[in-house]
Amino acid sequence: MNSKIKRLLRKNIFELSPYSSAREEYVGKEGIFLDANENPYGIYNRYPDPYQNQLKQKLAEIKKCKSNQIFIGNGSDEVIDLAFRIFCEPYQDTALTFAPTYGMYQVSADINAVELIQIPLNKNFQIDRKTVENCLKDENLKLIFICSPNNPTGNLLNTDDIEFILQKFSGIVIIDEAYIDFAAQNSFIEKLNIYPNLIVSQTLSKAWGLAGIRLGVAYMNEEILAFYNKVKSPYNISSINQEMTLKYLNQQEEFNSKLNEILFERTKLINELNHLNLVKKVYPTDANFILMEVKNADELYKKLIEKQIIIRNRNSVIPKCLRITVGTPEENQKLITELKVIDNG
Ligand SMILES: *Cc1c(COP(=O)(O)O)cnc(C)c1O
């Protein structure tokens, strides 16, 4: 094993003897299965494939990587939580991210009793190399979360800055690419073979439109994957979820047309928002949402709620800012109509 990865692991995880499920000890498909205490009757009576092999083959084909570089979690939340559980000693190790960003890193850090250092992004919502460089030598720093495109700001973080961190830091770098399909840039998946310490986290919740299914996908080197597989619960993705996901992954054309529609609507929305007096600034976006600064965020948020249009109030995170998810053409039109009424009122 790469001694660098070993050094990063928690001792109990390195030494862990994982649970060995019935479906691991005998993997054949044919036979009389009297080994897992399943009920012989029913449609969903059998335990699912613990390693979701069919699904991983399909994902490997779509993402042009190897199926033994893929971990599937019950949403990205599981991918994030497992990173803490595998690498961070509670009350001792630390993790780092760039604020403002996705709230789950902090929640997951808190649950796992790990301190999360938050370095502010600069005024263009980019990484400040000097500040981060000073933190990278800390031996207790095990994880860095980089969300790109970033939520709630919407922008991609500069590739050069991300690679700077990947090269200088010997811990694990998790790039959260939940919104990458909306972005005009390639995924870091293609750099997995260059950086052994890289985990790329994606999800089927956004561009694939499958938030209800709960499926997070992380791409990583085999060595890290081995520990993800040891620590995850044995049957973490249900048969129903595996089947449904596979069905939708085979509808690539549907995916492309929905994606293009959302991107088209995004451009339209940005244009419309830029013409409103109450909008002070529309931030550039590479995601399916738009961050904007307005005169009075709390007031506007409430006025829209009265019209049953619900957007995200980010005033407490970025002053005067609201975040709008791109909806259907009809939904977006309703939003713009209401905003124009308020603008003229
Ligand atoms: C929406 C989102 C996710 C997706 O989480 P799931 O648990 O996979 O639904 C992950 N990361 C970021 C930054 C997000 O905004």
Side-chain angles (χ1 to χ4, degrees), residues 75-77 102 105 147 151 176 178-179 203 205-206 214-216:
S76 307
D77 303 337
Y102 186 47
Y105 313 139
C147 188
N151 179 6
D176 187 338
Y179 300 96
T203 179
S205 297
K206 308 287 157 62
R214 308 306 304 128
L215 215 105

Side-chain angles (χ1 to χ4, degrees), residues 1-3 5-18 85-87 89 223 227 230-231:
M1 183 172 31
N2 182 331
S3 59
I5 300 294
K6 180 186 166 190
R7 188 187 53 78
L8 294 170
L9 293 163
R10 288 172 67 193
K11 188 164 175 287
N12 63 316
I13 300 300
F14 179 63
E15 293 170 349
L16 180 69
S17 308
R85 289 164 66 192
I86 293 168
F87 295 107
E89 211 56 72
E223 234 181 317
F227 288 95
K230 274 189 185 182
V231 177

Side-chain angles (χ1 to χ4, degrees), residues 185-204:
Q185 188 175 293
N186 287 352
S187 166
F188 264 85
I189 289 174
E190 61 187 32
K191 299 198 166 144
L192 277 177
N193 297 333
I194 309 175
Y195 302 112
N197 57 338
L198 170 63
I199 297 177
V200 178
S201 174
Q202 296 189 355
T203 179
L204 298 195

